Amino acid sequence: MLQSGSFRLHSCGPEPAPSSFEMMDRVVGVKLLPGEKVKGEAVNVKKCLWYKQLRKSITGKLLCTNFRVAFVPVETWIPQGPGNGSRILGADDVALSCIDRVVAGTSSRTKVVSASSSLKFQPQELLIHCCDFRLLHFQFEQEARASEIIPLIAQSCQPVSPRDLFVFQYSVEMSNNLDPRWMNTHSDGELYPTQMFETHLDWEIELSRTGAVGWRVSLANERFEVSPSLSKFLVVPRKVLDLDVKRACAYFNEGRIPRWHWHHGGSDLLRMSNFQSNAYTQRDGLSKLEQLLFGGQSKLVIVDLADELPTPAEIQLAYNRLKHLCCYENASPFRDADEKWLSTLEGTRWLECVRLCLKKASEVSSLLSNQCLTVTLQETDDRDLACLVSSLVQVILDPYCRTMQGFQSLIQKEWVEAGHRFSDRFNRLRRTDKEESAVFLLFLDCVWELLEHYPVLFEFTETYLLAIRDSTHILLFRNFLFNCPRERAYAQQSLATDVRVRVTPYTNSWPRSRSTPRDEQVVLKGGFFTREERNCPLPSVWDWSLQFPLEHQVLFRSALYSSDAQLLAQNGTSAHSNTDKGEFPLPRTVYHLTRGVLLVQPQLLPWKNVSVSKKLSRLSQSLESLLELEQPQRIPLSPSLDPASLPLPPIPAPGIRLWKGCYLRWPLEVGFEAAYNLLTALTSQVHWLERRLRQEADRQNTATNGLDHQGNHLTQPPSPVCSNGSDTMETSFTTMLSSATL
Amino acid sequence: MLSLGSGGGKAAKPSFVSYVSPEEIKKENINDELKPFLLPGELVICEANTVVKYSREDSLQRGFYGKLVCTNFKISFLSAEQLLDEVEQSYRNKLMGENDISLHCVDQIFGVYDDKKKPLLPGAVKNKIPEKLLLYCKDFRVFHFGLRYTKEEDAKRLIRAIVHYCLNPTSLKCLFAFSYVGAAGGLKVGPSGNEEEPPTIMFETKNDWKMELDRTGGLLTYRIISSNENYKISTRLPQFFAVPSSVADDDIKKYKGKGIALWCWSHSSGCALLKMAAPPETADDSTTQMDKAWIDRQLQVLGETHPLNHTFRTEILSATLPTLQEIQAFYSRFKQLFLPDNAAEFWESDVKWLSVLENASWLEAIRQCLKKALDIVECLEHHNTSVVLVEENCSDLCCLISSLVQVIIDPYFRTISGFQSLIQKEWVMGCHCFLDRCNLLRNNDKEAPVFLLFLECVWQLLQQYPPAFEFTETYMTILSDSMYIPIFSTFLFNSPWQRDNNQMLDEDRRMRSRSLKLPSVWEWSVQFENSVQALFYNPLYIGKPKTDKVRRMQRVKPQRQMSLPSSPSYHSRPSPKKGFFREETDHLIKTFLGKKISKWTLTAEDHSVNYRLFYDNWRSKPIDHHGLLLPLPDGPALKIWGQRYLRWIPEVQIPGGGLTTTLNKASEIMDEIKTLQTKVSQRILKRQPSSPNTDVFTPFHQSSRLSSTFPFGTLRRLTIKPRIPVSTNLSMSFGSMENLPDDEEDLGLL
């Protein structure tokens, strides 16, 4: 079993003497993060283990800091809830940013408390609805305390300005390395090195990894002139000049020009936003545009993502319904609504959203892999579903994206650097509810769906996906904090100047001064700083050691996955490359994917004749073009396209399941799958046996050499489920088996 | 077409052609050499050539030509093209091929006349020959046979025969089992699977019962009755059974065993699960009045003689569980969901899948059963109360609930041999009317899938706690399929008396020259090779349960002792036995008369709180897979038995994915461990490889060929088949667009 206190296990070097911080932690009862301060507390609070089940409760104190609301039980016996093994948050803690709603109540009335409203009654109970579907229920014995702490919590969970976010204080404090407890965690490095796509090099590596030819990394957007929301680096056809790239941005919404994102076999995946409807069309500009779009190809499929897919608003609606359904009040395991469960679930339409996304992704995947057609994803602003579909396609087709490293790089490439509006979509700052949408969570759900059906093909597990999901609720990571790379870059630059200013005068304490108005301007309005070396980056979510001890990170790796280097290299190995066709002046054709059927688009730019009925254009299609379209299929499929290694998503409703481990994890207390733990135990048994064998071989070797064998004792591999170090093979195996079932 | 393109080798063969161009086939040379594989005693009734079997994978556009044969056992489609390769061949059922349908497996027959589907019923077979013959099977296969190119008289004869043999009522003696056994003579069952496997206890001898009483620790309080030997007392009772030791022999004889509490199982704490046949509450004449008084007295006797201070609770199953008619109605509604004619129909139901599923109420029936079982488990485990299940004839829901309770509590019944013994004990010896409930003779309306409902409940448990079961869902699916193969004595009779009676008659007639015992379904080697039987074993199953006897003797308290104080309602219950039983029986009578929902002293809310505590207490401890396993009965926890219901629907198949691959991987890991272990022990002990380790776990070797429906709907073609018709459909459906809307149906929703 995981112990929350065991995180010091892996800090190298001698055990540090208890610092003043640790002393403080013992007094407070919570491991505070650097820069975290207690703002208020209430004692004699009862936490109910189940909603409206007053029989079982724990007494303790409730703390409100500038980062979390924590509950510290008085008794030493801590009930084993579904522990998340997190270093940052304890089992009973909730980050302020994760709080959805604070409700105060007495036995007779309840009221949602907001930062501005005042309580007109003496509350006895406190309900905290969390964004991760948790519901915390507290009861106060001293009502006076309750009326103090409840408004405090309500106030603190609504930050007034982004500059007040805890993460800025945290990272400054971290960079100063004041607290010895957190020093080592940061220098651990990442277990899985991730391409952040924040440098030129990462894109070059990606180009060569996928085997894409005819593309180059352009720096046209280095100062965010082409598009304010795109990354600094754009991958465009080799033949297109930076000047043309800059010119082309006028044709697209937000200047999000078509750019390369991925290569598979003989085909590329591109993304772009919708065409500007009022763009002034020049003959010359158009041909440049065509060059940009087609690259080396002669055939291009434009997939309009507005077609058939839910809009972000619809996704949010479905998500809210799902949240309502899966919340404690409604999801008690012994309710009467079980008979209606299925139809209510269907009524949320969440599964429908999942299905549609998977369906679109598998359509695009089959275009890319079976037909070797280059696909361009087009969406109005190219920042929501384009991220989702494009990353799903890559998860389906590219084995690399199913490894942990690849998956993290994928999220960096398709979401973080492509400018998914994390800040607006998660709406943790409560700026506007209109923009809120659970697009990223929908993506994680889609990936889980694939993972559920093809557990063997993924390196990571459900626990890992959950960890990513939970990380989005904590505003600590630069990946999920901002709307676009530009915002991120500026925020970190301003932070860097902050650090320099502040570190010199006060070395030991965090200055209490608020940020200067200039800083705020920088963050909010995207002011401009001179480029300088970042010496104080905000933490990255992929630095898992920040959040989880190594014992927990072992759970991220699937026991079923066999890392086969050959398998990983499969993407991009293709005998037939269409790129050389571009040398001949072939007539360029644009197809349009509608309702699962490819249609020939007579013109590239649809604003010229939108009125042409699609039916008509389909029927007027000549037979030659059809045959031509079929041609790539005749090419024998390369062995890399083994169906077994392609997780084509199940589209029919019986195949789509609800992610119970995620949505129902609190009410049902769904822990880690016992079967899965068993498998982990089995694999660690394999590792152990292999090591044992190696050791035996070594011993034999040393014995023959006449050397004395060094008695280095073999320890078992870090297994999440076994802490047993028994010597004999047989007993260790059985104990592992039995402990696996815990 | 892309999906066919890569299977090009097949497309070139003469028998695999589009039906649009029939002239390409050389009709005469296909069929001549085709001979159906006949079992002993199997006779060909009629046959027809040049029948097309449309394959579902090709959206019913293409198919294979072959011969359709109807025998007295099965309908068999034979094609010149051998579809199965070696791997698939090795997973074959020995009795039934892939294109064979047992006559009892046919559920409905339809004929398609001018694109209209009409049911074909016995006595109403038209002279006009349908273009297509649709066979819906009870194991959810759907066969489409095209008769357009068949000779008219052949087709007519064939349809008549099929309709007659599949749908007309028949008699027990006409069942194929008897001619099979008769012809096979001293039936060679073949090498029995695994000698070291613990055998299935058949509960046919006194000793079997004694062993079971001994195992569960009920030997002191219960005794075995052997006065029904040769069914002298009742034909609705097994030859041997156990009752509380206080019950007098005369009492048993009085009402042919009615009103006697029969022992099912003893809990380690001493309380027991019993069952009792009681008259229906509606009858009002004098005889039933007498019955009631009789039952009262019996219950009283039960309490008095029990050596331990146990309270008793009677549980009238019909009061809270769905009736058999309801179960049958639920199931037939549910069944329709999984029998789509074509892709279009499938996608249509797909849109509203969950709500349609809910309307079928089948999952609700499962939930009710699980809840009832949980209720009883709580009594046995937590309150140390013995439970008497009461049902009219004590052979339907009684069997279901009592066996479910035993699976939940006793880990022995989660092993293969234990599970088989349980079915023997509770269902076969419990006189479950398999013949009537499966309606094999098609002559009554008592059909109700009670046994299937039981399997469903166990399957739910299995998917919630996979490491706790020795068997896999494949085992359960195969077991459920075996119900429709009329060879096994297990599923053929209404009672052990009927079985013995029929077997004996046969024996007399043949002058006892041969042993004419019908095989039991547990003789898996009749159906499968050992390689397939390997699929029954769950690689995730943890070890073997500790030796039952020792553990049970040592344990005084139940393994999972609840630390909770018992609820106040139980404290306030009157403790003097007389009073208590008075109250209980009063209540019993009340329920008989008024059919009220049996809620004894607890209100519904109190009860759920109580149960909640019991449940949470159990949940707060780590799950012991060799202990109590409480199933989750709530909405999100219940799933569809995908392997059974969805295996033949190609749209749902997940190539290279699903649970099968996980299990495969797990067995690979197990194999690896085994080899490493042997290597290590060789190294450490410096001994030569003594015996090559032949005990290999991995039953399947080509993981690339696996799909979610393995081993049933094996992948025909090794291609990436786009689930969605993309541009490939464009050329195909250029002339006719009827295929396109299939997918559009479920799209325009959001």
Side-chain angles (χ1 to χ4, degrees), chain A residues 193-455:
Chain A
T194 307
Q195 284 166 275
M196 301 300 277
F197 289 95
E198 284 169 351
T199 60
H200 190 276
L201 190 64
D202 281 343
W203 284 100
E204 295 281 8
I205 291 172
E206 181 73 1
L207 275 173
S208 67
R209 182 187 73 83
T210 55
V213 196
W215 302 90
R216 68 184 183 92
V217 184
S218 160
L219 286 173
N221 199 30
E222 197 174 21
R223 286 172 173 265
F224 303 111
E225 284 164 320
V226 175
S227 164
S229 62
L230 278 178
S231 125
K232 282 179 189 170
F233 310 100
L234 306 173
V235 181
V236 293
R238 185 154 285 197
K239 280 178 255 168
V240 179
L241 302 173
D242 275 0
L243 192 68
D244 295 325
V245 172
K246 282 178 185 168
R247 226 179 258 159
C249 72
Y251 290 103
F252 296 91
N253 273 347
E254 296 184 34
R256 295 176 72 91
I257 54 157
R259 61 216 182 276
W260 178 91
H261 268 262
W262 187 62
H263 177 86
H264 178 82
S267 51
D268 298 293
L269 183 69
L270 286 82
R271 281 173 59 176
M272 64 177 176
S273 65
N274 270 8
F275 302 110
Q276 281 275 17
S277 51
N278 55 356
Y280 177 63
T281 48
Q282 288 172 311
R283 191 68 217 151
D284 182 42
L286 203 60
S287 73
K288 295 283 186 217
L289 185 59
E290 274 187 0
Q291 231 172 38
L292 193 59
L293 258 173
F294 281 93
Q297 314 279 352
S298 63
K299 281 193 282 294
L300 177 77
V301 182
I302 293 179
V303 178
D304 186 8
L305 296 180
D307 176 47
E308 293 179 346
L309 283 180
T311 64
E314 281 166 337
I315 291 172
Q316 183 59 20
L317 190 66
Y319 186 70
N320 283 337
R321 287 203 206 110
L322 181 75
K323 190 168 17 179
H324 186 251
L325 178 71
C326 296
C327 203
Y328 253 67
E329 297 143 284
N330 308 308
S332 130
F334 301 96
R335 68 209 138 159
D336 302 320
D338 281 336
E339 301 115 75
K340 291 279 155 217
W341 165 258
L342 289 175
S343 53
T344 348
L345 182 63
E346 191 178 74
T348 64
R349 319 220 62 146
W350 177 257
L351 295 184
E352 191 70 35
C353 288
V354 174
R355 275 178 79 179
L356 290 176
C357 292
L358 287 174
K359 187 179 156 91
K360 182 62 87 181
S362 64
E363 277 174 7
V364 174
S365 315
S366 69
L367 283 179
L368 281 166
S369 74
N370 297 358
Q371 330 242 341
C372 293
L373 288 168
T374 289
V375 175
T376 304
L377 303 177
Q378 189 175 35
E379 201 194 358
T380 317
D381 61 357
D382 179 36
R383 294 174 80 170
D384 292 303
L385 289 166
C387 303
L388 196 156
V389 173
S390 133
S391 29
L392 264 187
V393 166
Q394 294 174 49
V395 168
I396 291 170
L397 289 179
D398 194 342
Y400 172 70
C401 293
R402 285 177 243 135
T403 64
M404 246 178 272
Q405 183 190 351
F407 190 68
Q408 292 175 174
S409 306
L410 180 74
I411 290 178
Q412 280 293 324
K413 182 174 71 166
E414 297 295 335
W415 295 81
V416 180
E417 286 301 311
H420 176 68
R421 292 185 291 169
F422 280 107
S423 176
D424 286 352
R425 289 310 184 202
F426 285 136
N427 194 23
R428 298 276 183 259
L429 299 179
R430 314 283 151 89
R431 259 180 279 186
T432 160
D433 284 346
K434 272 184 220 156
E435 294 291 320
E436 189 175 340
S437 180
V439 182
F440 187 67
L441 304 183
L442 179 64
F443 166 65
L444 292 183
D445 199 324
C446 293
V447 175
W448 177 83
E449 220 67 61
L450 290 171
L451 180 67
E452 171 79 357
H453 291 295
Y454 301 93

Side-chain angles (χ1 to χ4, degrees), chain A residues 46-105:
Chain A
K46 274 187 181 168
K47 178 180 182 271
C48 305
L49 287 189
W50 300 291
Y51 179 66
K52 294 209 169 141
Q53 286 276 309
L54 303 180
R55 283 198 200 187
K56 277 220 160 180
S57 60
I58 328 163
T59 317
K61 65 178 173 181
L62 193 64
L63 287 171
C64 176
T65 74
N66 54 350
F67 171 64
R68 76 181 100 194
V69 173
F71 177 78
V72 187
V74 173
E75 300 149 55
T76 44
W77 176 78
I78 299 162
Q80 272 298 318
N84 51 3
S86 169
R87 274 181 183 184
I88 292 180
L89 290 167
D92 290 322
D93 299 357
V94 56
L96 287 176
S97 49
C98 187
I99 294 177
D100 191 26
R101 209 157 74 234
V102 180
V103 179

Side-chain angles (χ1 to χ4, degrees), chain A residues 158-175:
Chain A
Q158 280 167 331
V160 192
S161 77
R163 209 68 190 87
D164 285 341
L165 281 175
F166 171 72
V167 60
F168 293 101
Q169 302 165 26
Y170 170 75
S171 52
V172 167
E173 208 79 359
M174 283 289 279
S175 68

Side-chain angles (χ1 to χ4, degrees), chain A residues 724-738:
Chain A
N724 200 316
S726 55
D727 281 31
T728 55
M729 178 182 61
E730 288 78 13
T731 49
S732 82
F733 183 54
T734 44
T735 47
M736 230 182 296
L737 281 178
S738 54

